[in-house]
Amino acid sequence: MLTNVAYRNSGIPILNSGILPKNNLKLLKINTLNKFNFITFHFSFLAINYTFVRNQIVMIPYMRYNLNFLLLFTALLCAQNPKKATVGLSYKELKDTFWNNEGNKKKQFEYANAFYNKAKSENNPIEKARGAYLISLISTNEVAIKYLDSSISYSKNLNDSKYPAYAYSSKAYVLKSQSKYKEAIDNFLIAESIAKKNNPDFYYEVKFSIAVLRSEELGEISEALQLYKECFGYYKGKDVKNQKYSYAYQDVLFALADAYKALHQTDSATYYNKLGYRESKLTKDYGYNALFVLNEGANFVEKKIYKTAIDSINKALPQVIYDKDTGNTLAAYYYLGKAYDGLGKKELAVENFVKVDSIYDKTKKITPEFTSGYLYLISYFKNKKDKENQLKYLTQYMHIDSVLQTNYKELTKKLQKEYDTPNLILEKENLIRSLTNDQTKSYWSIGLLFLLVIIAISFGAYQYRIKKRQSSQFEKIMAKSTDNEIQTVEMNKKEINTAKSGVENIGINEELVEQILKKLTHFELTKGYLLSNITVQSLSDTFETNSKYVSKVVNTYKEKTFIQYINDLRIEHALESLKEDPKLQKYTIQALAIEFGFNNAESFSTAFYKKTGIKPVYFIKQLEELRKKHNHLLININQ
């Protein structure tokens, strides 16, 4: 997905607050001027008109008088002791000067710290919260979290419309930057619940932040889309031409278009890209205007309209590069690569995918969506027999996997689907060996070949032993009697008959033990164990008895834990059902798990292996082969 602008420009949320600059971070700030410079307007030395251009200030002098005197005057002002400069300033003056020095962290810390100390000396809780928050904005990682926690502590009982909601939200961004996504979401949710009470604007800003995190970091596009729609509904009722809401509204339009593109709903993506393009043009937001063009270019790639895609991306790219938006520059080159590949222009595709890698080398930031360019490069250089470049991009790709797989679940799925990790490792090793062999003597290759032969023989022997054991287990299962219901009744009769002798051992009344055993027999015959939510407590409630009694009876007479008892019943039922019903053999493991009372494929496979010594996949495969042999035999007999 393309990077959302709000997250491109800052590691903190875009807020219309008394602390963060109004109208968002794209509003130009006078970084080079402080309040002392404005004294010059009271003199007739120099009249200046400030023309604001994107990300800079152009000063156009109208009249010049005594410039030397002005420079001397300004120098004297700037030479003041910086600590004395903060004495006697109001909270507003300290805050404004903090922002006027954006880009100069040393100066910003001086004014933020003065703000914080003033608040502490006056024991003003809300100003202490603001002061700690200001310092957090120029801090990183644990230091930022420390001040944000202080801001939260000072304001948590004040019922303020901004704090501690802002502090929780900013803390979530810090945690997000550390890839602590669960903790980040927890803090976003707290901020959202606080803002919901008295700050609806910020409530939807936080909701949007949660949606972006779920979409861009966790790959939960569909879930994020619902949140984007809620935000869209809110902003539609606002004056989105006003600077207060225009930026947030365009954020949401961009997010909706990007989400629909990721879900391959290209017509919906086009609708929101066009709407965003019109809105950003009206508000003269050139950066966002370019991003809507870029996003529609990527959407054209999805539609396989490659020439139009290339035109749109190339139209947007200069502005994206000018804004130093490396995330979306990377995205632009990636989609150019895909577009050129679609046109069969492999050299140009490679050129752009190489640029993607170049940007990643500098930023060390990439999302799973853009990693398939590496597969293209690996395949391209493999076909060109360029082993060095093949190894280079293979190594890079595997490094990205190792870095991101804990954060991006979708990347692991993508790897398994497109380029199985074991094959990557094997190919990398083969490439390294090949390159080494080209530079060393031939006897090394002989030794390596000998080692590989030994490994192959050992592996073959190991596989043979596993197959032999699995085959033996399968035969045992097939040889086992299928009349489980009769066996169950007979076994439970024996258990009831032996209950008397075992009563003293478990300390439960004989009559009660017999009742529980009879109910367990009925439970087994009616296949109550196929309910996925069955627990010892729920079964005890059904039996109208104590859960401890049921647990003890199962432990003593079934000689199993309750969970093992339930799982074994399910697996025994699964074995018989799979033998008897060929239709079940065509189910996926997940579908079988649900069919037999398990919540997921993993728990079903684990219980199946524990009970039988083989995996369900192997068992089903052997059943299919057995059925084929039987059918073949019948055909031969009929002939």
Side-chain angles (χ1 to χ4, degrees):
M1 297 178 72
L2 298 183
T3 305
N4 190 282
V5 175
Y7 295 80
R8 175 194 66 187
N9 286 339
S10 175
I12 56 176
I14 308 301
L15 309 174
N16 299 321
S17 74
I19 286 295
L20 293 182
K22 290 185 178 180
N23 300 328
N24 67 55
L25 293 179
K26 298 192 84 174
L27 177 64
L28 301 174
K29 303 176 190 71
I30 305 174
N31 297 327
T32 57
L33 302 176
N34 59 33
K35 66 171 188 165
F36 298 114
N37 297 104
F38 287 103
I39 297 173
T40 57
F41 285 100
H42 296 292
F43 296 85
S44 298
F45 302 122
L46 183 63
I48 299 176
N49 176 52
Y50 290 87
T51 301
F52 289 86
V53 184
R54 183 174 182 79
N55 293 331
Q56 61 185 346
I57 300 170
V58 179
M59 296 186 292
I60 304 173
Y62 282 107
M63 297 182 292
R64 291 185 179 85
Y65 292 94
N66 192 339
L67 183 59
N68 290 332
F69 184 83
L70 171 65
L71 293 173
L72 176 62
F73 179 75
T74 306
L76 288 170
L77 287 172
C78 293
Q80 295 181 80
N81 187 321
K83 291 185 178 179
K84 288 182 179 178
T86 64
V87 176
L89 296 181
S90 68
Y91 290 119
K92 185 179 185 306
E93 288 170 325
L94 289 167
K95 179 192 68 179
D96 290 345
T97 313
F98 171 89
W99 285 115
N100 288 342
N101 282 281
E102 191 176 2
N104 185 340
K105 282 196 174 183
K106 185 177 178 182
K107 278 279 187 185
Q108 283 193 297
F109 179 78
E110 178 188 328
Y111 288 103
N113 199 43
F115 189 110
Y116 192 32
N117 288 333
K118 175 181 172 70
K120 286 196 288 186
S121 68
E122 295 176 2
N123 195 26
N124 187 327
I126 192 61
E127 299 301 348
K128 283 194 287 184
R130 289 194 179 100
Y133 186 77
L134 274 178
I135 296 175
S136 78
L137 298 181
I138 52 172
S139 305
T140 58
N141 296 324
E142 302 312 315
V143 176
I145 288 175
K146 171 190 166 187
Y147 281 103
L148 289 167
D149 283 339
S150 295
S151 181
I152 290 165
S153 177
Y154 292 135
S155 58
K156 62 184 177 182
N157 296 320
L158 298 180
N159 196 30
D160 186 78
S161 63
K162 297 170 185 175
Y163 295 92
Y166 287 176
Y168 276 115
S169 180
S170 285
K171 185 178 177 181
Y173 277 95
V174 177
L175 292 165
K176 173 179 171 288
S177 72
Q178 298 173 336
S179 300
K180 296 177 180 177
Y181 298 119
K182 185 180 180 301
E183 293 176 58
I185 285 182
D186 288 342
N187 279 271
F188 274 135
L189 290 173
I190 295 171
E192 184 186 42
S193 66
I194 295 170
K196 189 175 184 180
K197 298 173 185 175
N198 54 16
N199 194 337
D201 285 352
F202 188 57
Y203 170 73
Y204 281 97
E205 286 184 28
V206 177
K207 187 181 287 290
F208 179 80
S209 299
I210 294 169
V212 172
L213 189 150
R214 294 188 71 170
S215 174
E216 295 186 1
E217 308 298 343
L218 304 179
E220 298 174 354
I221 313 295
S222 298
E223 293 83 351
L225 182 59
Q226 297 306 312
L227 299 180
Y228 291 145
K229 287 178 179 178
E230 289 181 39
C231 295
F232 179 68
Y234 176 74
Y235 290 118
K236 273 182 70 177
K238 301 295 178 182
D239 179 10
V240 294
K241 301 295 185 292
N242 188 304
Q243 283 187 330
K244 183 178 180 182
Y245 294 109
S246 63
Y247 190 81
Y249 180 56
Q250 289 170 42
D251 266 349
V252 173
L253 292 177
F254 183 85
L256 282 166
D258 207 33
Y260 278 120
K261 174 176 66 67
L263 294 170
H264 309 294
Q265 297 180 33
T266 53
D267 289 341
S268 294
T270 295
Y271 172 80
Y272 287 105
N273 277 327
K274 286 182 176 179
L275 185 55
Y277 178 82
R278 290 197 299 269
E279 289 294 329
S280 57
K281 201 155 191 174
L282 285 171
T283 56
K284 297 182 180 179
D285 190 329
Y286 306 113
Y288 236 148
N289 194 253
L291 286 183
F292 283 112
V293 174
L294 174 59
N295 201 30
E296 187 57 19
N299 200 37
F300 279 126
V301 174
E302 293 292 323
K303 294 179 179 180
K304 303 188 187 305
I305 307 173
Y306 299 118
K307 288 184 178 179
T308 308
I310 291 168
D311 288 343
S312 294
I313 295 169
N314 283 330
K315 182 181 177 183
L317 192 53
Q319 181 67 51
V320 177
I321 293 171
Y322 177 81
D323 290 339
K324 297 180 181 178
D325 183 355
T326 53
N328 285 317
T329 303
L330 182 150
Y333 288 132
Y334 171 79
Y335 282 108
L336 280 174
K338 289 193 71 175
Y340 282 121
D341 178 48
L343 294 173
K345 298 181 179 181
K346 291 188 176 182
E347 298 296 330
L348 287 172
V350 167
E351 182 183 319
N352 281 281
F353 287 137
V354 168
K355 288 179 181 178
V356 170
D357 178 64
S358 177
I359 293 172
Y360 171 73
D361 263 341
K362 293 176 184 176
T363 64
K364 299 302 177 189
K365 291 180 180 179
I366 195 168
T367 56
E369 179 185 4
F370 305 126
T371 56
S372 63
Y374 285 98
L375 300 178
Y376 191 93
L377 291 173
I378 293 165
S379 176
Y380 175 83
F381 288 113
K382 184 177 182 179
N383 292 333
K384 290 282 185 181
K385 301 189 185 306
D386 184 343
K387 292 179 181 178
E388 288 190 12
N389 274 317
Q390 185 188 354
L391 178 61
K392 173 185 173 182
Y393 292 111
L394 178 58
T395 303
Q396 187 80 301
Y397 184 57
M398 293 179 68
H399 169 71
I400 290 168
D401 172 36
S402 67
V403 171
L404 298 183
Q405 65 180 337
T406 55
N407 301 335
Y408 298 94
K409 296 177 183 178
E410 292 303 315
L411 178 58
T412 303
K413 294 176 186 175
K414 190 180 183 73
L415 279 170
Q416 291 171 348
K417 181 179 178 182
E418 296 184 20
Y419 217 87
D420 193 39
T421 302
N423 290 331
L424 283 174
I425 295 168
L426 182 61
E427 185 171 356
K428 180 181 176 181
E429 289 174 350
N430 288 337
L431 281 167
I432 293 170
R433 282 196 294 269
S434 177
L435 287 168
T436 304
N437 289 339
D438 290 343
Q439 300 169 4
T440 57
K441 295 179 181 179
S442 61
Y443 65 83
W444 285 109
S445 61
I446 296 170
L448 183 61
L449 181 62
F450 180 71
L451 179 62
L452 288 172
V453 169
I454 292 173
I455 292 171
I457 292 170
S458 301
F459 183 73
Y462 173 72
Q463 289 295 315
Y464 174 76
R465 286 196 299 272
I466 289 177
K467 286 181 179 179
K468 189 175 180 180
R469 181 181 62 78
Q470 289 178 332
S471 178
S472 174
Q473 289 296 110
F474 178 76
E475 289 173 4
K476 286 179 183 178
I477 293 168
M478 296 305 293
K480 191 176 178 182
S481 172
T482 60
D483 198 359
N484 277 346
E485 290 191 5
I486 295 173
Q487 288 182 17
T488 299
V489 172
E490 292 300 320
M491 286 177 65
N492 285 329
K493 281 181 180 179
K494 290 179 182 179
E495 289 164 0
I496 293 168
N497 290 335
T498 58
K500 292 180 180 179
S501 59
V503 169
E504 293 78 15
N505 295 332
I506 61 174
I508 303 175
N509 180 275
E510 176 186 341
E511 185 180 345
L512 182 55
V513 171
E514 289 182 12
Q515 286 177 5
I516 291 172
L517 287 171
K518 285 178 181 177
K519 288 178 179 179
L520 285 173
T521 300
H522 181 264
F523 169 73
E524 292 170 17
L525 292 175
T526 57
K527 298 180 175 57
Y529 48 80
L530 294 180
L531 292 172
S532 61
N533 58 351
I534 191 76
T535 64
V536 67
Q537 184 60 55
S538 65
L539 189 61
S540 301
D541 291 344
T542 304
F543 288 0
E544 297 180 343
T545 188
N546 190 301
S547 61
K548 290 182 180 178
Y549 293 166
V550 173
S551 182
K552 279 189 176 183
V553 169
V554 169
N555 293 161
T556 303
Y557 293 97
K558 304 295 180 181
E559 297 180 344
K560 302 171 184 178
T561 64
F562 182 79
I563 293 173
Q564 187 182 354
Y565 166 65
I566 295 296
N567 283 347
D568 283 355
L569 288 172
R570 289 169 175 170
I571 298 304
E572 286 167 6
H573 176 70
L575 290 169
E576 297 307 319
S577 299
L578 287 166
K579 287 181 198 176
E580 295 168 6
D581 189 353
K583 290 180 181 177
L584 286 174
Q585 296 168 19
K586 300 185 184 300
Y587 282 24
T588 64
I589 299 301
Q590 177 66 30
L592 288 172
I594 294 168
E595 178 76 17
F596 298 128
F598 293 90
N599 289 319
N600 54 64
E602 185 180 357
S603 59
F604 171 59
S605 294
T606 301
F608 195 99
Y609 184 82
K610 192 172 182 181
K611 176 71 175 172
T612 65
I614 57 177
K615 291 286 185 181
V617 173
Y618 177 82
F619 181 70
I620 292 168
K621 185 179 178 182
Q622 293 302 110
L623 284 176
E624 288 174 350
E625 289 182 6
L626 201 63
R627 190 176 72 256
K628 285 177 185 177
K629 287 178 183 178
H630 179 70
N631 291 341
H632 185 68
L633 184 62
L634 287 175
I635 291 169
N636 288 337
I637 292 170
N638 291 332
Q639 288 176 348

